[in-house]
Amino acid sequence: MTSSILLSATTWVYGLSAFLYLAAWVFHRPGLEALASWAAAVGLAANTAAFFLRWAESYWLGMGHAPLSNLYESLVFFAGMIVLVHLVVERRTGNRVIGAFSAPLAFLALAYASLSPNISDKIQPLIPALKSNWLIAHVVTCFIGYAAFAVAFGVSLMYLLRTRAAAPGRLAGRLPEPELLEEWTHRLVVFGFLFLTAGIITGAVWANTAWGRYWGWDPKETWSLITWFVYATLLHARLVSGWRGRRIAVLSLVGFGAVLFTYFGVNLLPGLHSYQTTG
Amino acid sequence: MTASRSSVGAALREGFASIRLTIVLLLLLAGTSILGTLIPQNEAPATYRALFGDTGYRFFRALDLFDLYHSWWFQLLALLLAVNLVVCSAERVSRQWALLTGKTPVPDPRRFEGAEARAAFEDPREPAALLAAVEPLFRRRFRRVAVRETQTGGRFLFGESGRGSRWGVYAVHASVLLLLVGGLIGSRFGFDGFVNIPEGETVQTIQLRNTGERLRLPFAIRCESFSVRFYETGAPSEFRSRLVLLEEGREVLRRDILVNDPLEYRGITIYQSSYGTLPGREVQLSFTSRETGMVYTRGMKPGDEFEIPEGLGTFVLLDLRPNASFRGSPVGDAFVGRLIPREGEAVEVLLPVRFPTFDRMRRGEVVIAVEEVKQRHYTGLQVNRDPGVPVVYAGFVLMLVGCYVTFFRAHRQAGLRLEPHGGGSRVVLAMTANKNRAALPSAVERLARELRRR
């Protein structure tokens, strides 16, 4: 399938972008940053094109469903959303060091999708449980949320490095100002929280039409709720208790750990979302 | 006595109003939920004994860890969170009441002096004339507008918008309560059951999942047919049950259901959940005469009679008995018939589908065997009633709207001073907001640009 080839190429474009961002930061070559941004934008364009091509291909194969139905397809969408969120943050902040921590995440997501022997890139027909209009709403909202949390993870990590010592080293010193990182951790978490909430809700409504229950303590559901609890804790700690800085950054890392477990780890546990593993 | 009681009450209220309690409860709920995904839930005791040993099993069972999400202590945590949320919200609402309802007085111009987001410019018109020009714009941009004359003969315009956004967080908290109440209504007044219906058959009772009790529905369900379609790859593509609902034998509804496309009638929803195969009611039987060795075959269904040649008697096929047993041993699905010989007593003949030569044991004049049974499907239906769903869905909507308003709408206040300045005016615009202050400078700049055009 052409879309898979295009996505393999996208993986390397994201890899190049991540490499350029990291090189610009580590070797202090700000000239490379613009190049890195361009690579990210080109990668996103290819990622988007491949997404819609794959959608069309599924029609040509007589199935006709959005490419959001298995692990491979969700990783492709996830990678694209990470880059999109990252580029928006980059534009809004005017700071291009952030890419050194978010572009690698997009690269890893797509590389995992393309290279892992356990993940098939074949377009498969939808099993009856997935034949629903809620599929698109549920997956899209969840992964926009996850992508915001992924970029928030990168920003929080930068914050922790930047504020590790009273006088940051040369490498950490080139990271953005702590105030900017702290502010954007919050913004991204808020944005991700809204979409995670929407993702859980669309999932619940869907579960109610498919299985006759909106909540069943299936491990994936439970882990999405755990993730929600962690980020709700972060928001309450910051907005009501006035937590700032490192504690918030640590909670953001914990939250992203919960996201990753919801996404990958749950497949090790039994449950109704298990079709994800056969992707 | 009253004093101490009220102090206990005050201490309780204070404890429940603490945000630290919220954080502890949220993290406890998260942590115990993790436990519930690591320990398999609602398995048979034997599974747990194999996993944890007998002591471990009894210890974990005492802690309700095998049905954790329905345990008293997990529900207590949820209840505590609900109380915490109500007390916290009530405290804050009563503290902010004037602010929330718009009963705050128009603030003093000096309040805006320290505002970071500000813009200043000069205008040739006098304050009074300028006011007339800019006030309509201000009224369009802000919900509540007040005008004052200042001591220096200038004018002060106050505007505010987005006050309602302060309610957002309480909408989210209320939505959590709606979810809990909806869940409670569902578990109190709803039911959750299932039933398997072979094609062509009608049932009126279902089995409840939690208790295993049987429940009689106010209508009967007939499954006319069940079909499953496959893709070329062999993966299933569609499960379809053709259902008919009957009230007192009268057909009231006829519809196909699919996964993701359930049927609702009188508040009860029927979902396509599973399927399986059963022996059909039509069977090909063979009759072997012991004397001549001749084999006669005949297709029959319950109620049919067959006059066996050679005067071996009459065979009546009575029924298909699911999960039959013979002298106490289970033999699976079996047909039951009655053989009436020309002379002598009629005998009951059991013909297990799985053991075609079973009838040889009877040592009769004729051996009857099951040659072929047409398979038929049964459909597995999930049958629910959950009157809490509308409440839960209302909670969902309220939560989404509340989250959006809480995080992306701000309560903004603007102060515009028009001071006399050499025949014209000096204009200072300043804005404050309760959140997203980073966006304020550009908002001030935009408004200032519009004001200058007036």
Side-chain angles (χ1 to χ4, degrees), chain B residues 1 12 23 32 36 64 83 86 95 112 141 143 185 187 211 216 223 279-281 351 362-363 368 395 408 428:
Chain B
M1 198 63 204
L12 260 179
I23 290 176
T32 50
D64 260 344
V83 174
V86 169
R95 229 181 313 135
F112 291 92
R141 290 286 174 275
R143 195 144 196 190
I185 292 175
S187 64
T211 56
R216 192 177 160 81
C223 171
R281 297 168 65 79
L351 305 168
R362 190 169 47 84
R363 299 179 181 281
I368 308 173
F408 296 100
V428 181

Side-chain angles (χ1 to χ4, degrees), chain B residues 104-297:
Chain B
T104 41
V106 172
D108 192 85
R110 269 171 300 179
R111 232 201 72 199
F112 291 92
E113 272 165 17
E116 271 175 57
R118 54 202 295 121
F121 57 92
E122 281 164 25
D123 193 277
R125 285 166 285 185
E126 282 195 333
L130 187 56
L131 176 73
V134 299
E135 198 188 329
L137 175 71
F138 225 67
R139 289 202 179 274
R140 267 209 305 282
R141 290 286 174 275
F142 297 98
R143 195 144 196 190
R144 178 178 168 214
V145 173
V147 186
R148 293 281 148 83
E149 196 165 328
T150 63
Q151 289 153 344
T152 47
R155 297 289 185 276
F156 173 68
L157 255 165
F158 166 74
E160 68 173 332
S161 66
R163 176 187 291 278
S165 73
R166 288 185 180 270
W167 285 102
V169 64
Y170 305 112
V172 177
H173 289 172
S175 77
V176 173
L177 294 182
L178 280 179
L179 299 186
L180 293 174
V181 169
L184 206 62
I185 292 175
S187 64
R188 271 291 141 79
F189 304 107
F191 60 78
D192 174 7
F194 66 96
V195 64
N196 292 338
I197 314 177
E199 286 180 297
E201 290 186 20
T202 307
V203 300
Q204 186 143 14
T205 52
I206 61 163
Q207 192 165 349
L208 298 183
R209 271 189 206 280
N210 327 343
T211 56
E213 277 172 60
R214 298 187 65 77
L215 179 85
R216 192 177 160 81
L217 298 175
F219 52 82
I221 311 169
R222 184 162 77 222
C223 171
E224 299 233 302
S225 67
F226 173 85
S227 62
V228 50
R229 292 222 306 254
F230 296 93
Y231 294 108
E232 282 166 25
T233 59
S237 112
E238 184 190 273
F239 306 124
R240 178 186 293 268
S241 295
R242 178 150 295 177
L243 299 185
V244 177
L245 302 189
L246 306 143
E247 273 176 332
E248 291 158 11
R250 226 165 19 83
E251 178 178 327
V252 288
L253 189 70
R254 171 182 290 268
R255 231 196 84 183
D256 289 8
I257 63 165
L258 305 168
V259 182
N260 276 311
D261 186 14
L263 173 160
E264 195 182 339
Y265 185 69
R266 290 180 59 173
I268 295 170
T269 316
I270 302 168
Y271 303 83
Q272 181 66 56
S273 152
S274 66
Y275 77 103
T277 49
L278 281 175
R281 297 168 65 79
E282 275 175 44
V283 60
Q284 192 78 20
L285 294 177
S286 69
F287 301 82
T288 310
S289 160
R290 184 186 286 272
E291 207 172 275
T292 64
M294 287 291 287
V295 181
Y296 309 96
T297 56

